[in-house]
């Protein structure tokens, strides 16, 4: 293969865990992947958007070769950097405005409400009010969250007025870390009347949803919205924390059909095109109600192995194909396994991590248990409360991907992995265990 046949793909926030999955995409032998800024540069501390954009442009300008595609699979600021850089370097991407309409949780709700009623009641919380007040017409329980955040950072489920005020105090303290950089993005788009003066550091309240959490994944291409997969999300008992994402969904066909329909309408409403997405919902089997939780204007990189296990190709394929102008269609049920899951091995108290398995030991576990991939999150000696991008209730200590014949097979492989990893976590104040 000649040098002219190689396409240069710049991945904003390329990480070690995703590189093998990117290289597993069909045709990847003709692609050369280049990291464009690290995850730490993009998400640690309060990010300066002008500085991040300038640094990315300096790297691209200094590159001795063609810039054929710029992609990313993380939330803000990666999601917004892709269209900003795409406009300058002529690479394929959806518009910045369509990304912002999804990323800004309040603006997204305003747009969603124009085409569907499958939404919880929602409203803005005035963070300057003393005392803060619940938006008119809303009742407990509810969720409070910044209009923009990393993962579930600063998202709180509240049951009463006391918890509401405590959550507002925490959000008020930390919201500017992401909200202030987002102002730079809002300055780049034309805001409708209902968004003028809202800004990036705004707090959203939404009445709590119940039922099964579901993710709908797909892509927009030439104005057509295609859904290629629906996954179920199962929580740890009595918590709002994910235990696993499972593919394919076990929901009734008529529910899946409606999820497809609502997804197509909301993505068309925000003007999303030539990019991948993941839309999250709740389905309540008791009432048979569907409610849209949020739109993620990117594909879910954390599900890549699940699609590879079941369909034969990681979902990175769609992202790369759209960026390169090739066919984004994916195979159906051509993988080695009937089902797959991503498990979150969590710890629900703070502690210090000991006895983290080596890369060689992890590779050995993956060989011993077919259809398994393991990613340990903390490093040895690290305190869990020092981990980045954790939710407000637990700490992720490992991600375990399993492919299997059925749900029982998936669970059996997960349990074997947890036992084999042998992670030891000392409670705060304890010394290392003998």
């Amino acid at each position: 293969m000649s040098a002219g046949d190689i396409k240069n793909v710049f991945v904003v926030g390329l990480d070690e865990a995703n590189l093998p999955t990117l290289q597993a995409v069909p045709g990847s032998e003709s692609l050369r992947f280049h990291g464009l800024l690290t995850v730490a540069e993009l998400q640690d501390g309060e990010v300066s958007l002008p500085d991040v954009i300038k640094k990315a442009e300096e790297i691209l300008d200094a590159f001795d070769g063609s810039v054929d595609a710029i992609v990313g699979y993380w939330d803000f600021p990666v999601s917004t950097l892709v269209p900003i850089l795409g406009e300058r370097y002529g690479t394929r991407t959806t518009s910045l405005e369509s990304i912002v309409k999804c990323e800004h949780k309040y603006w997204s709700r305003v747009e969603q409400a124009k085409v569907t009623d499958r939404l919880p009641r929602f409203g803005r919380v005035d963070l300057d009010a003393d005392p803060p007040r619940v938006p008119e017409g809303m009742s407990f329980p509810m969720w409070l969250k910044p209009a923009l955040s990393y993962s579930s950072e600063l998202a709180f489920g509240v049951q009463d007025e006391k918890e509401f005020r405590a959550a507002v105090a925490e959000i008020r303290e930390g919201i500017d870390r992401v909200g202030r950089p987002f102002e730079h993005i809002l300055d780049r788009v034309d805001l409708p009347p209902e968004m003028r003066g809202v800004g990036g550091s705004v707090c959203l309240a939404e009445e709590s949803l119940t039922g099964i959490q579901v993710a709908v994944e797909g892509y927009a291409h030439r104005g057509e919205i295609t859904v290629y997969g629906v996954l179920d999300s199962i929580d740890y008992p009595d918590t709002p924390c994910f235990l696993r994402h499972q593919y394919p969904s076990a929901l009734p066909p008529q529910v899946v059909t409606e999820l497809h329909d609502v997804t197509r309408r909301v993505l068309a409403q925000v003007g999303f095109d030539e990019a991948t997405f993941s839309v999250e919902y709740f389905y309540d089997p008791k009432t048979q109600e569907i409610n849209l939780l949020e739109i993620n204007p990117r594909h879910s990189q954390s599900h890549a192995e699940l699609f590879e296990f079941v369909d034969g190709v990681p979902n990175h394929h769609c992202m790369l194909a759209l960026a390169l102008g090739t066919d984004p269609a994916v195979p159906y049920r051509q993988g080695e396994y009937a089902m797959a899951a991503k498990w979150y091995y969590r710890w629900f108290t703070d502690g210090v991590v000991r006895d983290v398995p080596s890369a060689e030991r992890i590779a050995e576990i993956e060989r011993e248990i077919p259809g398994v991939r393991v990613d340990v999150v903390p490093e040895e000696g690290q305190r869990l409360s020092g981990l980045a991008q954790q939710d407000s209730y637990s700490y992720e200590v490992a991600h375990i991907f399993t492919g299997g014949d059925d749900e029982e097979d998936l669970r059996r492989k997960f349990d074997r992995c947890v036992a084999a990893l042998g992670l030891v976590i000392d409670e705060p104040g304890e010394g290392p265990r003998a």
Side-chain angles (χ1 to χ4, degrees), residues 368-406:
E368 289 171 354
I369 311 173
V372 158
R373 189 189 147 202
V374 180
D375 176 27
V376 175
V377 177
E379 298 176 358
E380 187 159 341
Q382 189 169 14
R383 194 179 182 91
L384 294 178
S385 56
L387 292 173
Q389 300 175 54
Q390 301 296 306
D391 65 33
S392 305
Y393 303 93
S394 67
Y395 305 101
E396 298 170 15
V397 295
H399 302 145
I400 298 174
F401 302 86
T402 60
D405 299 329
D406 51 33

Short mmCIF file of all heavy atoms in Angstrom, two decimals, residues 368-406:
data_model
loop_
_atom_site.label_atom_id
_atom_site.label_comp_id
_atom_site.label_asym_id
_atom_site.label_seq_id
_atom_site.Cartn_x
_atom_site.Cartn_y
_atom_site.Cartn_z
N GLU A 368 -7.76 -16.57 29.54
CA GLU A 368 -8.39 -17.67 30.30
C GLU A 368 -9.91 -17.68 30.16
O GLU A 368 -10.53 -18.74 30.22
CB GLU A 368 -8.02 -17.55 31.79
CG GLU A 368 -6.57 -17.87 32.11
CD GLU A 368 -6.22 -17.53 33.55
OE1 GLU A 368 -7.07 -16.94 34.26
OE2 GLU A 368 -5.09 -17.85 33.97
N ILE A 369 -10.51 -16.48 30.01
CA ILE A 369 -11.97 -16.38 29.94
C ILE A 369 -12.33 -15.85 28.55
O ILE A 369 -12.24 -14.65 28.30
CB ILE A 369 -12.53 -15.46 31.04
CG1 ILE A 369 -11.94 -15.81 32.41
CG2 ILE A 369 -14.06 -15.52 31.08
CD1 ILE A 369 -12.31 -14.82 33.51
N PRO A 370 -12.77 -16.69 27.63
CA PRO A 370 -13.09 -16.22 26.27
C PRO A 370 -14.21 -15.18 26.28
O PRO A 370 -15.14 -15.25 27.09
CB PRO A 370 -13.56 -17.50 25.56
CG PRO A 370 -13.01 -18.63 26.38
CD PRO A 370 -12.97 -18.13 27.79
N GLY A 371 -14.09 -14.21 25.37
CA GLY A 371 -15.13 -13.18 25.27
C GLY A 371 -15.09 -12.19 26.40
O GLY A 371 -16.12 -11.73 26.88
N VAL A 372 -13.88 -11.81 26.83
CA VAL A 372 -13.74 -10.88 27.96
C VAL A 372 -12.66 -9.86 27.65
O VAL A 372 -11.63 -10.19 27.05
CB VAL A 372 -13.38 -11.66 29.25
CG1 VAL A 372 -12.71 -10.75 30.27
CG2 VAL A 372 -14.61 -12.30 29.86
N ARG A 373 -12.93 -8.60 28.04
CA ARG A 373 -11.90 -7.58 27.99
C ARG A 373 -11.99 -6.77 29.28
O ARG A 373 -13.10 -6.44 29.74
CB ARG A 373 -12.09 -6.65 26.79
CG ARG A 373 -10.89 -5.72 26.62
CD ARG A 373 -11.10 -4.65 25.61
NE ARG A 373 -10.36 -3.46 26.07
CZ ARG A 373 -10.62 -2.23 25.69
NH1 ARG A 373 -11.61 -1.99 24.87
NH2 ARG A 373 -9.92 -1.23 26.14
N VAL A 374 -10.85 -6.45 29.89
CA VAL A 374 -10.82 -5.81 31.21
C VAL A 374 -10.02 -4.51 31.14
O VAL A 374 -8.94 -4.46 30.55
CB VAL A 374 -10.18 -6.75 32.25
CG1 VAL A 374 -10.16 -6.07 33.63
CG2 VAL A 374 -10.93 -8.08 32.32
N ASP A 375 -10.57 -3.47 31.77
CA ASP A 375 -9.89 -2.18 31.86
C ASP A 375 -9.98 -1.73 33.32
O ASP A 375 -11.05 -1.37 33.80
CB ASP A 375 -10.58 -1.16 30.94
CG ASP A 375 -9.99 0.24 31.08
OD1 ASP A 375 -8.80 0.34 31.45
OD2 ASP A 375 -10.71 1.21 30.81
N VAL A 376 -8.84 -1.79 34.03
CA VAL A 376 -8.80 -1.34 35.43
C VAL A 376 -8.62 0.17 35.45
O VAL A 376 -7.75 0.71 34.75
CB VAL A 376 -7.67 -2.04 36.21
CG1 VAL A 376 -7.56 -1.48 37.62
CG2 VAL A 376 -7.93 -3.55 36.26
N VAL A 377 -9.44 0.88 36.23
CA VAL A 377 -9.46 2.35 36.19
C VAL A 377 -8.36 2.97 37.05
O VAL A 377 -7.55 3.76 36.56
CB VAL A 377 -10.85 2.88 36.59
CG1 VAL A 377 -10.85 4.41 36.61
CG2 VAL A 377 -11.92 2.35 35.62
N PRO A 378 -8.28 2.69 38.39
CA PRO A 378 -7.27 3.38 39.20
C PRO A 378 -5.90 2.72 39.09
O PRO A 378 -5.77 1.57 38.66
CB PRO A 378 -7.82 3.22 40.63
CG PRO A 378 -8.61 1.96 40.59
CD PRO A 378 -9.15 1.82 39.19
N GLU A 379 -4.89 3.48 39.48
CA GLU A 379 -3.55 2.94 39.58
C GLU A 379 -3.28 2.53 41.01
O GLU A 379 -3.96 2.97 41.95
CB GLU A 379 -2.53 4.01 39.14
CG GLU A 379 -2.69 4.44 37.68
CD GLU A 379 -1.74 5.55 37.30
OE1 GLU A 379 -0.98 6.01 38.19
OE2 GLU A 379 -1.76 5.96 36.13
N GLU A 380 -2.28 1.69 41.19
CA GLU A 380 -1.96 1.24 42.55
C GLU A 380 -1.54 2.43 43.41
O GLU A 380 -0.77 3.29 42.98
CB GLU A 380 -0.83 0.20 42.50
CG GLU A 380 -0.56 -0.44 43.85
CD GLU A 380 0.16 -1.78 43.74
OE1 GLU A 380 0.15 -2.38 42.64
OE2 GLU A 380 0.72 -2.20 44.76
N GLY A 381 -2.09 2.48 44.63
CA GLY A 381 -1.78 3.57 45.55
C GLY A 381 -2.68 4.77 45.41
O GLY A 381 -2.59 5.72 46.20
N GLN A 382 -3.56 4.76 44.42
CA GLN A 382 -4.42 5.92 44.17
C GLN A 382 -5.63 5.89 45.10
O GLN A 382 -6.22 4.85 45.36
CB GLN A 382 -4.90 5.92 42.71
CG GLN A 382 -5.63 7.20 42.31
CD GLN A 382 -5.82 7.27 40.79
OE1 GLN A 382 -5.66 6.29 40.07
NE2 GLN A 382 -6.17 8.44 40.30
N ARG A 383 -6.00 7.07 45.59
CA ARG A 383 -7.20 7.20 46.41
C ARG A 383 -8.41 7.35 45.49
O ARG A 383 -8.37 8.12 44.53
CB ARG A 383 -7.08 8.43 47.33
CG ARG A 383 -8.10 8.47 48.45
CD ARG A 383 -7.89 9.71 49.32
NE ARG A 383 -8.83 9.73 50.44
CZ ARG A 383 -8.59 9.19 51.62
NH1 ARG A 383 -7.43 8.59 51.85
NH2 ARG A 383 -9.49 9.24 52.59
N LEU A 384 -9.47 6.63 45.78
CA LEU A 384 -10.63 6.63 44.90
C LEU A 384 -11.25 8.01 44.73
O LEU A 384 -11.68 8.38 43.64
CB LEU A 384 -11.69 5.64 45.42
CG LEU A 384 -11.29 4.16 45.39
CD1 LEU A 384 -12.41 3.30 45.98
CD2 LEU A 384 -10.96 3.70 43.99
N SER A 385 -11.27 8.80 45.81
CA SER A 385 -11.86 10.13 45.71
C SER A 385 -11.03 11.07 44.83
O SER A 385 -11.50 12.16 44.48
CB SER A 385 -12.03 10.74 47.11
OG SER A 385 -10.79 10.78 47.79
N GLY A 386 -9.83 10.63 44.43
CA GLY A 386 -9.01 11.43 43.54
C GLY A 386 -9.21 11.08 42.08
O GLY A 386 -8.61 11.72 41.20
N LEU A 387 -10.05 10.07 41.79
CA LEU A 387 -10.32 9.70 40.41
C LEU A 387 -11.13 10.77 39.71
O LEU A 387 -12.04 11.36 40.30
CB LEU A 387 -11.08 8.37 40.35
CG LEU A 387 -10.34 7.11 40.80
CD1 LEU A 387 -11.29 5.93 40.85
CD2 LEU A 387 -9.17 6.83 39.86
N ALA A 388 -10.84 11.00 38.44
CA ALA A 388 -11.58 12.00 37.66
C ALA A 388 -12.87 11.39 37.10
O ALA A 388 -12.98 10.19 36.91
CB ALA A 388 -10.71 12.52 36.52
N GLN A 389 -13.84 12.26 36.85
CA GLN A 389 -15.07 11.92 36.13
C GLN A 389 -15.85 10.78 36.78
O GLN A 389 -16.29 9.84 36.12
CB GLN A 389 -14.76 11.56 34.68
CG GLN A 389 -14.10 12.69 33.92
CD GLN A 389 -13.68 12.26 32.53
OE1 GLN A 389 -14.49 11.77 31.78
NE2 GLN A 389 -12.42 12.45 32.22
N GLN A 390 -16.03 10.84 38.08
CA GLN A 390 -16.85 9.86 38.79
C GLN A 390 -18.20 10.48 39.13
O GLN A 390 -18.33 11.70 39.23
CB GLN A 390 -16.15 9.40 40.06
CG GLN A 390 -14.79 8.78 39.81
CD GLN A 390 -14.88 7.49 39.01
OE1 GLN A 390 -15.59 6.57 39.36
NE2 GLN A 390 -14.13 7.43 37.91
N ASP A 391 -19.22 9.63 39.33
CA ASP A 391 -20.52 10.19 39.71
C ASP A 391 -20.51 10.55 41.20
O ASP A 391 -19.49 10.42 41.87
CB ASP A 391 -21.66 9.23 39.35
CG ASP A 391 -21.62 7.92 40.12
OD1 ASP A 391 -21.18 7.92 41.28
OD2 ASP A 391 -22.05 6.89 39.57
N SER A 392 -21.65 11.00 41.69
CA SER A 392 -21.70 11.52 43.06
C SER A 392 -21.90 10.43 44.11
O SER A 392 -21.99 10.72 45.29
CB SER A 392 -22.84 12.53 43.18
OG SER A 392 -22.73 13.54 42.21
N TYR A 393 -21.97 9.16 43.69
CA TYR A 393 -22.38 8.11 44.61
C TYR A 393 -21.41 6.93 44.70
O TYR A 393 -21.51 6.11 45.61
CB TYR A 393 -23.76 7.57 44.21
CG TYR A 393 -24.81 8.65 44.15
CD1 TYR A 393 -25.09 9.32 42.97
CD2 TYR A 393 -25.50 9.02 45.30
CE1 TYR A 393 -26.05 10.33 42.92
CE2 TYR A 393 -26.45 10.02 45.27
CZ TYR A 393 -26.72 10.68 44.07
OH TYR A 393 -27.66 11.68 44.04
N SER A 394 -20.48 6.79 43.76
CA SER A 394 -19.63 5.60 43.75
C SER A 394 -18.37 5.88 42.95
O SER A 394 -18.22 6.94 42.34
CB SER A 394 -20.38 4.42 43.13
OG SER A 394 -20.61 4.66 41.75
N TYR A 395 -17.46 4.89 42.95
CA TYR A 395 -16.21 5.00 42.20
C TYR A 395 -16.08 3.78 41.29
O TYR A 395 -16.27 2.64 41.73
CB TYR A 395 -15.00 5.05 43.16
CG TYR A 395 -15.12 6.15 44.19
CD1 TYR A 395 -15.53 5.85 45.50
CD2 TYR A 395 -14.85 7.47 43.86
CE1 TYR A 395 -15.66 6.86 46.45
CE2 TYR A 395 -14.96 8.48 44.81
CZ TYR A 395 -15.38 8.17 46.10
OH TYR A 395 -15.51 9.17 47.03
N GLU A 396 -15.74 4.00 40.02
CA GLU A 396 -15.54 2.91 39.08
C GLU A 396 -14.11 2.40 39.24
O GLU A 396 -13.15 3.15 39.04
CB GLU A 396 -15.76 3.39 37.65
CG GLU A 396 -17.17 3.90 37.39
CD GLU A 396 -17.30 4.59 36.04
OE1 GLU A 396 -16.40 4.43 35.19
OE2 GLU A 396 -18.31 5.31 35.84
N VAL A 397 -13.96 1.11 39.58
CA VAL A 397 -12.62 0.57 39.75
C VAL A 397 -12.21 -0.32 38.57
O VAL A 397 -11.02 -0.55 38.35
CB VAL A 397 -12.47 -0.20 41.09
CG1 VAL A 397 -12.62 0.77 42.25
CG2 VAL A 397 -13.45 -1.34 41.20
N ALA A 398 -13.19 -0.83 37.81
CA ALA A 398 -12.86 -1.59 36.60
C ALA A 398 -14.06 -1.62 35.67
O ALA A 398 -15.21 -1.60 36.11
CB ALA A 398 -12.42 -3.01 36.96
N HIS A 399 -13.77 -1.65 34.38
CA HIS A 399 -14.79 -1.89 33.35
C HIS A 399 -14.51 -3.27 32.78
O HIS A 399 -13.39 -3.56 32.36
CB HIS A 399 -14.70 -0.84 32.24
CG HIS A 399 -14.85 0.56 32.73
ND1 HIS A 399 -14.18 1.63 32.18
CD2 HIS A 399 -15.61 1.07 33.74
CE1 HIS A 399 -14.51 2.74 32.81
NE2 HIS A 399 -15.37 2.43 33.77
N ILE A 400 -15.53 -4.11 32.78
CA ILE A 400 -15.36 -5.49 32.31
C ILE A 400 -16.36 -5.76 31.19
O ILE A 400 -17.57 -5.64 31.38
CB ILE A 400 -15.57 -6.49 33.48
CG1 ILE A 400 -14.52 -6.24 34.56
CG2 ILE A 400 -15.50 -7.93 32.98
CD1 ILE A 400 -14.71 -7.05 35.83
N PHE A 401 -15.84 -6.07 30.01
CA PHE A 401 -16.67 -6.34 28.83
C PHE A 401 -16.79 -7.85 28.66
O PHE A 401 -15.77 -8.56 28.68
CB PHE A 401 -16.05 -5.73 27.58
CG PHE A 401 -15.83 -4.24 27.67
CD1 PHE A 401 -14.67 -3.72 28.24
CD2 PHE A 401 -16.77 -3.35 27.20
CE1 PHE A 401 -14.45 -2.35 28.33
CE2 PHE A 401 -16.57 -1.98 27.28
CZ PHE A 401 -15.41 -1.48 27.84
N THR A 402 -18.02 -8.34 28.48
CA THR A 402 -18.23 -9.77 28.32
C THR A 402 -19.15 -10.05 27.14
O THR A 402 -20.13 -9.35 26.92
CB THR A 402 -18.85 -10.39 29.59
OG1 THR A 402 -20.11 -9.77 29.85
CG2 THR A 402 -17.95 -10.22 30.80
N GLY A 403 -18.82 -11.09 26.37
CA GLY A 403 -19.70 -11.60 25.33
C GLY A 403 -20.10 -13.01 25.71
O GLY A 403 -19.27 -13.77 26.22
N GLY A 404 -21.37 -13.37 25.48
CA GLY A 404 -21.79 -14.70 25.89
C GLY A 404 -23.05 -15.17 25.19
O GLY A 404 -23.62 -14.47 24.34
N ASP A 405 -23.48 -16.37 25.57
CA ASP A 405 -24.66 -16.99 24.95
C ASP A 405 -25.95 -16.42 25.49
O ASP A 405 -26.97 -16.37 24.79
CB ASP A 405 -24.64 -18.51 25.19
CG ASP A 405 -23.43 -19.17 24.58
OD1 ASP A 405 -22.95 -18.67 23.54
OD2 ASP A 405 -22.94 -20.17 25.14
N ASP A 406 -25.97 -16.02 26.76
CA ASP A 406 -27.17 -15.49 27.39
C ASP A 406 -26.75 -14.66 28.61
O ASP A 406 -25.56 -14.52 28.90
CB ASP A 406 -28.13 -16.62 27.80
CG ASP A 406 -27.45 -17.71 28.61
OD1 ASP A 406 -26.51 -17.40 29.38
OD2 ASP A 406 -27.86 -18.89 28.49
#
